[in-house]
Amino acid sequence: MTRLLDVAGSLLRIGLAAGVVWLCINDLPRVQAVEALAQLPDYDYWKEGEKLLDQRRFSEALLVVDAGLRAAPPVQAPALRSLRDRIEVERSSWLVRLQQAGQGALSGRGESPEALGGAIVADLFVFGDVRDLVIQGGHALRGEATDPVLVALSAGGILLTVSPALDFGSALLKFARRMGAMTERFAGSLLRTIERAVQRQNADELLQVTADAAELARRARPAGAVTILRSVDDPAELRRAALFAQQEQGAFTLWLGG
């Protein structure tokens, strides 16, 4: 009996050790990312925020400044808060924002967060899906190349609208595609996912992809999410990015280093 208890105890210890090793292996990418960030030279949050402000990339500028307010030495806080106030003032110029949003809604393109917002709002009300199908149809009639990813996302947006997350995530992915911020590997994986959803009339798999895109946008702001998507090659990587962005400074880390 004593020997059986000893064997059972040994097996239990081995099992616990194996479990710890498994957890460590699965957590290794996150640990490596955090360590890599910690080893980088001091980051000039104010300088980068100022540069992004000059480029009118307001959302990304706020992402950087907010990260600086959390991580930079306290002596830098007044300058960062002052810069944040300037960003908010310039971003709140209603005329500029309205013009850029309207441009984004009509074309589905644009460099500013406001244009991105206009494009996404248009997609949420189906207008954007119809707009993109008309644009792609025009390319086909003129014998020009069409984008199968945009066609599939637009058609899927009309046929499979089942939740706000699907609409918002799909709109973000379409904007990234139009702006050249989606890798070809990710585009191929996304296209196959959409085709399966339409064939099966089941959007669960597609919903996970678009929900991850929406979560990334919520954590990094839409413009920051588009930048991060430039380094994402498949839905599995998007899933990991969305989860990593939920951690403290996670969204900033992804934006900074991909």
Side-chain angles (χ1 to χ4, degrees):
M1 185 65 178
T2 302
R3 179 167 294 184
L4 286 175
L5 290 175
D6 290 341
V7 171
S10 298
L11 291 174
L12 179 61
R13 286 192 292 273
I14 292 172
L16 290 173
V20 170
V21 171
W22 182 84
L23 289 173
C24 290
I25 291 175
N26 278 272
D27 200 44
L28 185 58
R30 184 189 68 82
V31 173
Q32 290 175 331
V34 172
E35 289 181 351
L37 180 64
Q39 292 171 5
L40 289 174
D42 289 342
Y43 186 77
D44 194 333
Y45 295 94
W46 187 91
K47 182 177 180 180
E48 183 64 23
E50 178 80 11
K51 183 174 73 173
L52 290 167
L53 173 59
D54 289 342
Q55 297 171 2
R56 305 186 71 78
R57 294 163 62 182
F58 301 121
S59 293
E60 291 171 278
L62 287 172
L63 178 67
V64 172
V65 171
D66 287 343
L69 287 171
R70 289 190 294 268
V75 68
Q76 298 180 19
L80 287 169
R81 280 195 290 268
S82 176
L83 177 57
R84 197 184 198 290
D85 291 341
R86 286 173 50 208
I87 295 169
E88 290 286 10
V89 168
E90 293 199 31
R91 191 176 71 152
S92 63
S93 171
W94 281 104
L95 180 59
V96 172
R97 294 175 68 185
L98 186 60
Q99 290 174 338
Q100 293 175 342
Q103 195 174 46
L106 290 174
S107 68
R109 301 176 61 87
E111 298 295 335
S112 70
E114 288 71 28
L116 169 55
I120 288 177
V121 169
D123 280 300
L124 293 178
F125 288 96
V126 186
F127 167 78
D129 292 322
V130 175
R131 173 203 62 212
D132 289 332
L133 287 175
V134 170
I135 291 174
Q136 294 301 313
H139 290 326
L141 289 173
R142 292 191 296 271
E144 300 170 355
T146 60
D147 191 322
V149 175
L150 288 178
V151 172
L153 280 171
S154 298
I158 294 172
L159 297 174
L160 299 170
T161 300
V162 295
S163 77
L166 177 59
D167 286 340
F168 180 71
S170 175
L172 181 75
L173 292 172
K174 284 207 298 179
F175 189 89
R177 179 65 173 174
R178 284 190 294 264
M179 299 307 297
M182 180 183 291
T183 69
E184 289 304 316
R185 283 181 56 190
F186 186 88
S189 296
L190 179 60
L191 186 57
R192 291 189 292 273
T193 300
I194 298 168
E195 289 171 347
R196 286 193 295 271
V198 174
Q199 289 168 1
R200 301 169 184 172
Q201 283 298 294
N202 184 325
D204 289 349
E205 185 183 4
L206 178 59
L207 179 59
Q208 182 62 69
V209 178
T210 57
D212 287 336
E215 174 65 12
L216 191 60
R218 189 171 76 85
R219 300 288 178 170
R221 295 188 173 90
V226 170
T227 298
I228 294 169
L229 281 170
R230 295 180 184 275
S231 302
V232 175
D233 280 335
D234 56 51
E237 283 191 1
L238 177 60
R239 178 72 177 148
R240 290 196 292 273
L243 292 173
F244 188 78
Q246 295 174 14
Q247 302 182 45
E248 181 72 20
Q249 297 285 62
F252 173 72
T253 302
L254 289 170
W255 179 86
L256 178 63

